[in-house]
């Protein structure tokens, strides 16, 4: 082992997997920043300032979708294709991609690298995570390709097979932006043209939900399918507690969000719409605000109450170990279960026949409350530095923290301080509040202080 | 024992002290409501609607200070004197007053009544609570009388001893409204005329802080004084953990609030003021927003950021077992200590050489998070039913929940639903979120589920 090998060994021994994942995200952001400063990705003389490209780098690696420059006016086709690649890397997680690269290059994967993957995947067991990451990556790419083709053919048919190139370009872009929950808009009107195409919206919603439900759920779904296909009637397949909770809370927040949007906007935007459109719009925004950030119409026409509901959903965010950000559904969910248990005079939180571990409850409490404090601080700072209304500031902050990326149109007009606040929120929102906390805990302390209970659930 | 005695016995046996306290508050509200509907307390033809007098009844019993009608235009002098009496009853707590009544009437106090007093006083030991309540009541009344005379003489001197009656009327009112933290304004300009009278403001701040620091702290302060006077050098006086925490967090939030107000308003209202005035204004609002609700100028001129800081301080509120409301300082403080302990990788919350019990931490978490949810829900409802800006709605909600009673002037214009939302918030804010939770827990369950740990601290 040479000097470099020893140094590498020393760094890996002293660094926790969480630290490595965060460092990998940072490196990825700087590579993206470098690439986004190359003029070849921009329309003639349209390259934005250093700060704006850095903002775009963080926004695309965290698959948020906020941007200080109108993408359709500055990026050329290569720039948009570059973004689509960044969404893959940012969405599926650095470590997952590292794994796939390793497998493809035929190299052996060390225990340390496996641990890193485990942390990023939030898988309680090491065994098989490498193989599983690989199959998820394949699944996600195939999903984007298949629906890319479907959307492309649909657009081509719509335009009487005349503008094939642009139909395929847009078809694939929408598929990529939906599955990775990126939400960046390259047309200036997002999904507004398809507002009344319910089948189209339902498919987009499905892709958004698949991206945000959490990779472990997809893995177990895949395992369950294999089990059903190969094992005929003997034995029982058990879903993990995490998968059950992730699906349960995704359903709860989806339905709850849709009902709240429906109620708050009933006399507003939805008043003149027929009933199926009312329901479809409410459902679409409930799915989109927690993860993706795709929109049907200008958000400025919504009621203040609806914008607050959007903010709440964005703040909650997606499942852990998904393409999404925010506090995470299971984290908020476990805190709510804990509050409900206290109100009912129960000592423990029981769900699906299992008891949630005290450590997980503790993490859920800490992550949620620190996230509230963080967003409160951000709103307070922005209310000093920016001239916009309070509701648009709350909206921008929660959109950044939830990596949803919706905006009431104030991103481009943010001050220098404001842009940096949003950059920090997007990074923390994607990496997760818990990682940020554990980042400064050394390897020894982590082993000592953070016991993993037997019924481990993924928190934030 | 007759039939009535048996019935009374049965009710008392089945009712928890918390339920009795809440019932007593409700009865007090309805008596106040009845009194406030008597025309003798109003200027000619100025009696407000039933809803407005009910609003005023809840607001005065909870010593909040929000009102849907301008008091100086509707109440006569007798009406204001009535309010001053209600502030005593509402501020010192129903049970405390019951105790005093009992003592004065020479009746024996039952164990059950002692328990009730204990709950309202949040005293961990039963022994001596009756005697203590009595001395606090005397202390508070004397305080109001002494400073009433001082303020009256000061006002008389200001007006060259010409308008003695109005000077004494206003002097006593300011003393009462400061000590009871009522904050109702009867002049239309609150304390604006004394904005530059620093000694006056300091005395008012002192009275506000005495009212909001918590009765147990006053009791122990009194005991400490007696100890120092009678015991010369032998033995050590120990303050309870609660008193230490209450004073500690009162200081932290007072200084922290003043610094934040100073920073957010530095380029706003305070820009043209000389430095001593800047500091005095920031300190005054930091003290007033958490409890009293007295103000120096129209709040409409403050920056959005400052109004958010005010909202935060109002939400936190005063100490438990004081004249104030809100989540309560020690409750928020213990949650913050808990978060800090987690960040530093510690398992337990240690402060002042004691460990905070798990039950108290649990209550602090539940009370704070449910309070956040409650205020969020209230803002959401108001954003649907009212036409005012988001910042004024957040301000109104936190002012009601914190029983501070400041307003950006929207109270009178609230819709029917809006008024009822504020009424509920004032009631819950004063009674406390924990009482509300424990209200529906029966006596048996309470004994079983809510153990009192050895190092008991008062939560919300
Ligand atoms: K997004
Ligand atoms: K008040």
């Amino acid at each position: 082992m040479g000097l470099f090998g020893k140094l590498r060994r020393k760094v890996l021994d002293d660094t926790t997997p969480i630290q490595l994942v965060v460092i990998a995200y940072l490196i990825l952001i700087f590579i993206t920043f470098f690439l986004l400063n190359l003029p070849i990705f921009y329309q003639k003389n349209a390259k934005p300032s250093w700060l704006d490209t850095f903002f775009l780098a963080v926004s695309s690696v965290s698959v948020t979708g906020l941007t200080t420059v109108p993408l359709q006016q500055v990026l050329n086709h290569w720039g948009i294709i570059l973004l689509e690649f960044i969404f893959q890397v940012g969405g599926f997680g650095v470590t997952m991609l590292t794994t796939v690269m390793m497998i493809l290059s035929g190299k052996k994967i060390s225990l340390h690298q496996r641990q890193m993957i485990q942390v990023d995947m939030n898988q309680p067991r090491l065994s098989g995570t490498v193989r599983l990451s690989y199959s998820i990556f394949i699944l996600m790419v195939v999903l984007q390709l298949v629906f890319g083709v479907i959307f492309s053919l649909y657009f081509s048919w719509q335009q009487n097979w005349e503008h094939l190139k642009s139909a395929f370009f847009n078809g694939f872009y929408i598929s990529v932006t939906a599955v990775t929950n990126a939400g960046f808009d390259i047309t200036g009107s997002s999904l507004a043209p398809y507002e009344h195409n319910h089948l189209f919206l339902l498919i987009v919603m499905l892709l958004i939900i698949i991206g945000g439900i959490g990779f472990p759920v997809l893995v177990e779904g895949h395992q369950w399918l294999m089990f059903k296909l190969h094992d005929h009637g003997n034995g029982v397949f058990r879903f993990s507690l995490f998968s059950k909770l992730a699906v349960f809370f995704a359903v709860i927040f989806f339905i709850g969000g849709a009902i709240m949007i429906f109620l708050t906007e009933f006399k507003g935007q939805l008043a003149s719409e027929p009933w199926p459109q009312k329901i479809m719009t409410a459902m679409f925004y409930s799915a989109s605000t927690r993860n993706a950030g795709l929109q049907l119409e200008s958000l400025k026409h919504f009621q203040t109450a609806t914008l607050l509901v959007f903010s709440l959903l964005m703040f909650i965010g997606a499942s852990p170990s998904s393409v999404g950000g925010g506090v995470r559904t299971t984290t908020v969910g476990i805190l709510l279960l804990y509050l409900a248990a206290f109100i009912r005079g129960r000592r423990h939180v029981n769900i699906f026949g299992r008891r949630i571990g005290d450590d997980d409850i503790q993490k859920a409490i800490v992550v949620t409350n620190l996230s509230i404090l963080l967003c409160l601080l951000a709103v307070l700072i922005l209310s000093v530095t920016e001239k916009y209304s309070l509701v648009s500031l709350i909206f921008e902050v929660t959109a950044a923290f939830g990596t949803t990326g919706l905006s009431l149109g104030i991103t481009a007009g943010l001050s220098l301080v404001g842009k940096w606040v949003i950059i920090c929120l997007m990074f923390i929102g994607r990496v997760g509040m818990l990682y940020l906390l554990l980042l400064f805990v050394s390897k020894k302390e982590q082993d000592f202080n953070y016991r993993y209970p037997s019924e481990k659930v993924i928190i934030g």
Side-chain angles (χ1 to χ4, degrees), chain A:
Chain A
M1 200 188 290
L3 184 69
F4 181 74
K6 273 183 188 160
L7 189 73
R8 186 173 151 276
R9 185 68 184 255
K10 176 95 181 77
V11 169
L12 284 180
D13 280 353
D14 290 349
T15 320
T16 62
I18 284 174
Q19 286 167 342
L20 284 181
V21 169
V22 173
I23 290 167
Y25 266 101
L26 283 175
I27 292 172
L28 186 63
I29 285 171
F30 280 99
I31 294 172
T32 308
F33 175 55
F34 171 77
L35 289 173
L36 284 176
N37 272 299
L38 300 178
I40 51 162
F41 294 116
Y42 292 94
Q43 295 168 32
K44 219 174 173 182
N45 297 324
K47 201 189 87 56
S49 74
W50 294 92
L51 179 61
D52 289 333
T53 49
F54 188 73
F55 192 101
L56 185 57
V58 175
S59 183
S60 54
V61 170
S62 66
V63 282
T64 301
L66 289 173
T67 167
T68 50
V69 289
L71 297 186
Q72 73 275 17
Q73 287 173 30
V74 296
L75 288 176
N76 60 23
H77 272 40
W78 293 114
I80 286 164
I81 291 171
L82 173 68
L83 279 190
E84 291 182 55
F85 275 97
I86 298 168
F87 297 161
Q88 312 297 322
V89 186
F92 302 149
V94 174
T95 46
M96 208 160 142
L97 217 77
T98 320
T99 324
V100 176
M101 292 296 167
M102 292 276 178
I103 296 172
L104 291 180
S105 67
K107 276 189 187 161
K108 201 174 164 291
I109 297 173
S110 68
L111 178 67
H112 194 86
Q113 283 160 336
R114 277 175 208 269
Q115 277 183 337
M116 231 176 103
I117 298 157
Q118 192 199 359
V119 166
D120 201 53
M121 292 276 298
N122 269 322
Q123 277 285 64
R125 287 172 304 277
L126 265 180
S127 59
T129 37
V130 173
R131 198 172 40 75
L132 292 176
S133 328
Y134 188 64
S135 42
I136 292 172
F137 179 73
I138 298 295
L139 170 70
M140 298 297 266
V141 170
V142 167
L143 212 61
Q144 292 177 68
L145 290 175
V146 169
F147 282 93
V149 170
I150 292 174
F151 288 148
S152 302
L153 291 176
Y154 171 68
F155 292 157
S156 305
W157 168 75
Q158 261 196 330
Q159 296 158 9
N160 293 315
W161 310 98
E162 274 166 16
H163 311 284
L164 282 187
K165 200 180 149 190
S166 95
F168 269 75
F169 191 84
N170 287 325
F172 270 89
Y173 184 80
I174 286 183
S175 177
V176 169
T177 197
V179 173
T180 62
N181 279 210
F184 279 96
D185 175 36
I186 55 163
T187 62
S189 58
S190 197
L191 296 186
Y194 317 105
E195 193 180 350
H196 303 293
N197 189 334
H198 292 183
L199 182 62
F200 181 86
L201 290 186
L202 279 174
I203 292 174
V204 170
M205 276 162 63
L206 185 72
L207 296 181
I208 289 174
I209 289 167
I210 289 175
I213 197 78
F215 300 135
V217 176
L218 298 180
V219 168
E220 285 184 36
H222 177 249
Q223 287 169 338
W224 175 80
L225 210 70
M226 290 298 116
F227 179 85
K228 285 282 157 191
L229 288 177
H230 297 295
D231 185 288
H232 303 283
N234 310 327
V236 182
F237 185 86
R238 274 182 67 92
F239 281 98
S240 71
L241 181 58
F242 169 73
S243 283
K244 287 179 191 166
L245 287 178
V247 173
F248 176 69
F249 287 121
V251 171
I252 293 283
F253 288 126
F254 173 64
I255 295 175
I259 291 173
M260 286 179 82
I261 295 167
F262 184 84
L263 290 177
T264 54
E265 204 58 37
F266 191 74
K267 286 191 173 174
Q269 288 268 86
L270 301 178
S272 58
E273 303 278 0
W275 274 82
Q277 185 65 38
K278 280 192 223 271
I279 294 167
M280 184 57 70
T281 305
M283 278 168 59
F284 181 83
Y285 278 109
S286 181
S288 180
T289 46
R290 274 199 307 99
N291 317 280
L294 291 163
Q295 62 192 77
L296 300 179
E297 57 268 286
S298 172
L299 300 175
K300 285 172 193 167
H301 302 134
F302 280 105
Q303 309 290 305
T304 304
T306 313
L307 296 176
L308 287 179
V309 173
F310 283 9
S311 290
L312 193 61
L313 293 170
M314 295 194 291
F315 177 73
I316 294 170
S319 292
S321 289
S322 74
V323 296
V327 190
R328 312 294 148 99
T329 50
T330 50
T331 311
V332 175
I334 287 176
L335 179 60
L336 292 178
L337 290 178
Y338 173 77
L339 296 178
F342 185 92
I343 290 172
R344 294 165 68 197
R346 306 265 165 89
R347 275 175 198 282
H348 301 299
V349 180
N350 298 312
I351 189 166
F352 297 122
R354 303 283 285 274
R355 182 180 144 200
I356 309 277
D358 286 345
D359 283 29
D360 286 329
I361 291 174
Q362 193 182 22
K363 282 180 197 161
I365 291 165
V366 172
V367 166
T368 309
N369 280 284
L370 285 180
S371 300
I372 292 171
L373 285 178
L374 178 75
C375 287
L376 201 66
L377 179 69
V379 170
L380 210 55
I381 293 174
L382 292 186
S383 71
V384 172
T385 61
E386 316 301 320
K387 295 285 166 208
Y388 300 105
S389 73
L390 183 60
V391 65
S392 60
L393 297 181
I394 292 174
F395 200 84
E396 193 82 5
V397 162
T398 48
F401 183 72
T403 70
T404 300
L406 291 172
S407 174
L408 292 170
I410 69 168
T411 321
L414 289 175
S415 69
L416 184 72
V417 175
K419 283 178 183 173
W420 278 105
V421 167
I422 297 299
I423 287 172
C424 292
L425 286 172
M426 292 191 289
F427 184 77
I428 297 172
R430 179 70 182 107
V431 168
M433 184 56 89
L434 191 65
Y435 275 33
L436 192 78
L437 291 179
L438 297 179
L439 192 59
F440 303 105
V441 178
S442 75
K443 213 164 185 172
K444 263 186 189 164
E445 283 179 89
Q446 227 170 67
D447 292 342
F448 178 72
N449 279 308
Y450 301 98
R451 295 164 306 159
Y452 285 83
S454 50
E455 307 108 340
K456 192 175 173 290
V457 173
I458 306 170
I459 303 291

